[in-house]
Amino acid sequence: MGITPESVQAMMQKSHRGWVAEQAGRVVGFVMGNKSTGEMWVIAVLKECENQGIGRNLMARVEEWLWSEGWDEIWLTTDPDENYRAVGFYRRLGWVDWKFEGGDRFMKKSKGQRV
């Protein structure tokens, strides 16, 4: 996919912003968004740190940043499989299905849908 430390660094300088979550000095999660497209680009939390509110907190940060960049609607892509854990996570945070394309599920969230 062409994602390298160098390509991410270049994105962070132009269009992306990210946040990390730490516990005891160890990174346990991160999130990134793209202000030029309104996309919540990536979120990840270590499995052993799930269900502690870390993902919810990270998502709130990237969502608020994208709203502050002028987006009234933001979006993400995820697995099309309804049983994929991320789909339920996004839905609990107010994200809704938008379309299925190229083997991906696209979800969106409007400013008024904040949870």
Side-chain angles (χ1 to χ4, degrees), residues 12 19 21 32 57 75 77 81 90 92 97 100-101 107:
M12 295 289 286
W19 293 262
M32 288 178 70
N57 186 9
W75 61 280
T77 59
D81 184 348
Y90 298 137
R92 285 189 298 279
D97 288 337
F100 292 84
E101 187 176 280
M107 299 180 85

Side-chain angles (χ1 to χ4, degrees), residues 14-17 19 33-39 61-74 111:
K14 293 180 184 177
S15 57
H16 290 62
R17 181 176 280 180
W19 293 262
N34 181 342
K35 71 178 180 180
S36 65
T37 64
E39 179 184 14
R61 289 181 183 271
V62 74
E63 289 173 6
E64 287 302 321
W65 177 67
L66 290 169
W67 305 134
S68 77
E69 289 294 324
W71 292 97
D72 292 326
E73 190 168 79
I74 57 179
K111 229 175 179 179

Side-chain angles (χ1 to χ4, degrees), residues 1 4-5 12 15 20 27 30 41 51-52 55 73 81 84 89 96 100-101 106 110 115:
M1 295 182 72
T4 65
M12 295 289 286
S15 57
V20 297
V27 173
F30 70 96
W41 192 58
N51 300 311
Q52 297 177 24
E73 190 168 79
D81 184 348
Y84 193 63
F89 170 72
V96 296
F100 292 84
E101 187 176 280
F106 287 74
S110 297
V115 175

Side-chain angles (χ1 to χ4, degrees), residues 7 27-28 37-38 48-50 54 60 62 87 93-94 105 107:
S7 69
V27 173
V28 296
T37 64
E48 65 267 23
C49 297
E50 290 179 356
I54 295 166
V62 74
V87 174
L93 297 181
R105 174 190 303 262
M107 299 180 85

